[in-house]
């Protein structure tokens, strides 16, 4: 017997008169790998070449990249509202086009001002093509089986750094950083624009209403204590995790490893993300939302501390990078399901945009802040210690995000 709640062939599902576009899931798998790999992960590999080739300060180029992430965080709020009402096709297709244009501007920038403008435009592309719109699409089309769909997409997305960090390093060995970005922009255009335009054409279903959550509006949820504390926990955790990702290559270079070795360490962490995400459904079945939020964020802090404490050998650092990637992969799914776990799917796009905005802003500031803190702290090792402490502070906040009535009464 076929379970209508899990069919992916475009037939009506168990959640009402809704359908699941057959091509959407594989298309989003491909576009997440390419979009993240090119628009995000190429920069930490190329930045060590950009600064000496242009004479621009490393802090300035990192600030431009951070600007893009800030723009993405702010634009994500509006994108979430559009997704709730209109669906992902137009948003993600336009985002792909903007992503290509932004990389062309970055690659040909004659000065820092244009370089900053290119990354600001890239921020709009990130908001429209990265996980948030993909998660909104899958949560609406695949509910109540959305965890399986989200896991599949993030399993693929976890390969972004595994594929594109080494690929970017290989291209940069033979091309200038500008020509490398031009090649990557061509790949981005060839894969993501047609995939989003052609595979996301299914009708956008009305939002389901969950009896357990329908009494709460998006505005009420957004002002509630659990939501605000959850946003705080994710903000601190995101700051630490994204600073680690961008600072990992410089950490390895500081310890005497080559750019290729550093890029492989970053890339192998992506493989760890993919491995870790295969465990999330099991973790979700066996823990409460609050418990897994606390545990996973704390594990993020512990793996960051391990990267700070372990100078080598290279094989051991690779092993730590894999474990850190596994935790990071689960944190992605944790954030993707945080709204539905606590408040249902009705206002998923809007609430996820509100929840993600401060976290994405912190992630945006993390590369610049990390680079700025390195000198006064005395290197990347001490920076990783500070980032580990930040993650632990987030873990201590997480227990207060419980939305159960029993926990609410304990706070009053």
């Amino acid at each position: 017997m076929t379970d209508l709640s899990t069919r992916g062939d475009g037939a009506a599902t168990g959640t009402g008169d809704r359908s699941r576009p057959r091509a959407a899931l594989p298309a989003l798998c491909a576009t997440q790998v390419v979009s993240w790999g090119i628009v995000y992960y190429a920069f930490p590999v190329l930045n060590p070449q950009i600064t000496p080739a242009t004479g621009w300060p490393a802090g300035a180029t990192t600030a431009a990249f951070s600007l893009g992430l800030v723009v993405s965080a702010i634009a994500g709020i509006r994108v979430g509202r559009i997704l709730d009402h209109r669906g992902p096709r137009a948003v993600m297709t336009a985002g792909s086009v903007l992503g290509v244009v932004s990389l062309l501007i970055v690659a040909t920038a004659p000065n820092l001002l244009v370089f900053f403008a290119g990354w600001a435009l890239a921020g709009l592309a990130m908001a429209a093509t990265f996980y948030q719109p993909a998660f909104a699409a899958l949560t609406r089309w695949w509910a109540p089986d959305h965890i399986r769909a989200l896991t599949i997409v993030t399993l693929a997305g976890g390969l972004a750094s595994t594929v594109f960090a080494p690929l970017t390093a290989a291209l940069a060995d033979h091309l200038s950083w500008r020509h490398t970005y031009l090649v990557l922009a061509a790949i981005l255009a060839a894969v993501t624009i047609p995939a989003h335009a052609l595979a996301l054409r299914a009708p956008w279903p009305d939002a389901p209403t969950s009896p357990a959550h329908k009494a709460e509006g998006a505005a009420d949820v957004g002002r509630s204590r659990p939501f605000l504390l959850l946003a705080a926990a994710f903000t601190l955790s995101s700051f630490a995790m994204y600073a680690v990702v961008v600072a990992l290559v410089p950490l390895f270079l500081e310890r005497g490893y080559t750019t290729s070795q550093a890029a492989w360490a970053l890339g192998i962490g992506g493989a760890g993300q993919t491995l870790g995400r295969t465990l999330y459904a099991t973790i979700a079945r066996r823990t409460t939302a609050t418990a897994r939020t606390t545990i996973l964020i704390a594990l993020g802090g512990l793996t960051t501390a391990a990267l700070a404490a372990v100078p080598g050998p290279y094989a051991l650092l690779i092993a730590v990078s894999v474990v850190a990637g596994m935790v990071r992969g689960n944190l992605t799914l944790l954030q993707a399901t945080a709204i539905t776990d606590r408040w249902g799917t009705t206002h998923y796009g809007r609430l996820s945009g509100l929840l993600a905005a401060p976290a994405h802003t912190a992630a945006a500031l993390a590369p610049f802040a990390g680079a700025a803190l390195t000198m006064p702290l005395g290197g990347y090792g001490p920076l990783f210690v500070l980032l580990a402490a930040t993650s632990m502070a987030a873990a201590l906040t997480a227990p207060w995000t419980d939305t159960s009535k029993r926990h609410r009464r304990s706070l009053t």
Side-chain angles (χ1 to χ4, degrees):
M1 180 179 294
T2 301
D3 183 357
L4 292 178
S5 68
T6 58
R7 285 179 61 181
D9 57 358
T13 71
T15 55
D17 189 26
R18 291 182 288 147
S19 61
R20 296 172 181 175
R22 182 178 309 186
L25 189 55
L28 289 172
C29 287
T31 60
Q32 289 304 302
V33 172
V34 175
S35 296
W36 275 97
I38 291 175
V39 183
Y40 186 87
Y41 284 107
F43 176 78
V45 176
L46 291 176
N47 196 42
Q49 296 187 20
I50 294 173
T51 52
T54 59
W56 301 335
T61 55
T62 305
F65 181 66
S66 295
L67 173 65
L69 297 174
V70 170
V71 171
S72 175
I74 297 171
I77 298 174
R78 179 59 180 168
V79 167
R81 294 186 179 186
I82 295 173
L83 287 165
D84 275 343
H85 293 92
R86 300 183 184 179
R89 186 191 182 200
V91 169
M92 299 191 77
T93 303
S96 295
V97 174
L98 288 177
V100 173
V101 173
S102 69
L103 291 186
L104 294 178
I105 294 173
V106 167
T108 58
N111 53 53
L112 267 174
L113 181 62
V114 178
F115 190 76
F116 269 78
W119 280 111
L121 188 63
L124 296 177
M126 294 179 203
T129 59
F130 277 12
Y131 279 142
Q132 183 182 334
F135 289 164
L138 295 173
T139 297
R140 182 73 64 90
W141 272 324
W142 261 260
D145 194 33
H146 55 282
I147 289 182
R148 182 174 67 91
L150 294 174
T151 301
I152 291 171
V153 165
T154 54
L155 284 175
L159 297 174
S161 62
T162 305
V163 174
F164 281 96
L167 175 61
T168 301
L171 288 172
D173 284 340
H174 299 89
L175 303 171
S176 70
W177 72 270
R178 295 183 185 274
H179 287 103
T180 298
Y181 261 132
L182 291 175
V183 172
L184 294 175
I187 296 172
L188 186 69
V191 175
T192 65
I193 295 175
H196 288 150
L198 299 176
L200 304 179
R201 294 182 296 176
W204 189 235
D206 293 333
T209 56
S210 170
H213 303 289
K214 65 183 180 180
E216 290 185 286
D220 293 331
V221 171
R223 290 192 296 265
S224 68
R225 181 183 297 182
F227 186 91
L228 294 175
L229 291 175
L230 185 64
F234 283 159
T235 297
L236 291 171
S237 176
S238 294
F239 178 87
M241 290 296 100
Y242 278 85
V244 165
V245 169
V246 176
L248 190 64
V249 170
L251 175 71
F252 273 67
L253 295 177
E254 182 180 76
R255 290 175 173 174
Y257 297 101
T258 67
T259 300
S260 293
Q261 287 176 313
W264 273 108
L266 178 63
I268 206 70
Q273 289 183 193
T274 300
L275 178 62
R277 286 166 183 162
T278 63
L279 305 175
Y280 186 78
T282 300
I283 295 171
R285 285 194 300 268
R286 297 182 178 182
T287 60
T288 65
T290 304
R292 62 179 168 271
T293 301
T294 305
I295 293 168
L296 289 172
I297 292 177
L299 288 174
L302 291 175
T303 56
T304 301
L307 287 169
V310 177
Y314 182 69
L316 181 57
L317 282 171
I318 288 293
V320 175
S321 184
V322 170
V323 176
M326 292 176 66
V327 176
R328 202 160 58 242
N330 278 287
L331 286 171
T332 301
L333 282 168
L334 180 73
Q335 294 189 35
T337 58
I339 296 298
T340 52
D341 286 341
R342 293 169 173 82
W343 298 286
T345 61
T346 303
H347 305 290
Y348 181 87
R350 181 178 178 183
L351 289 175
S352 65
L354 289 172
L355 185 66
H360 287 178
T361 301
L365 297 175
F368 176 74
L373 289 170
T374 301
M375 185 172 293
L377 288 174
Y380 283 93
L383 172 65
F384 273 58
V385 173
L386 177 62
L387 295 176
T390 302
S391 287
M392 297 311 295
L396 293 173
T397 304
W400 302 96
T401 65
D402 195 336
T403 57
S404 66
K405 291 182 180 179
R406 179 183 301 176
H407 187 77
R408 286 180 185 174
R409 285 195 299 268
S410 72
L411 294 177
T412 58

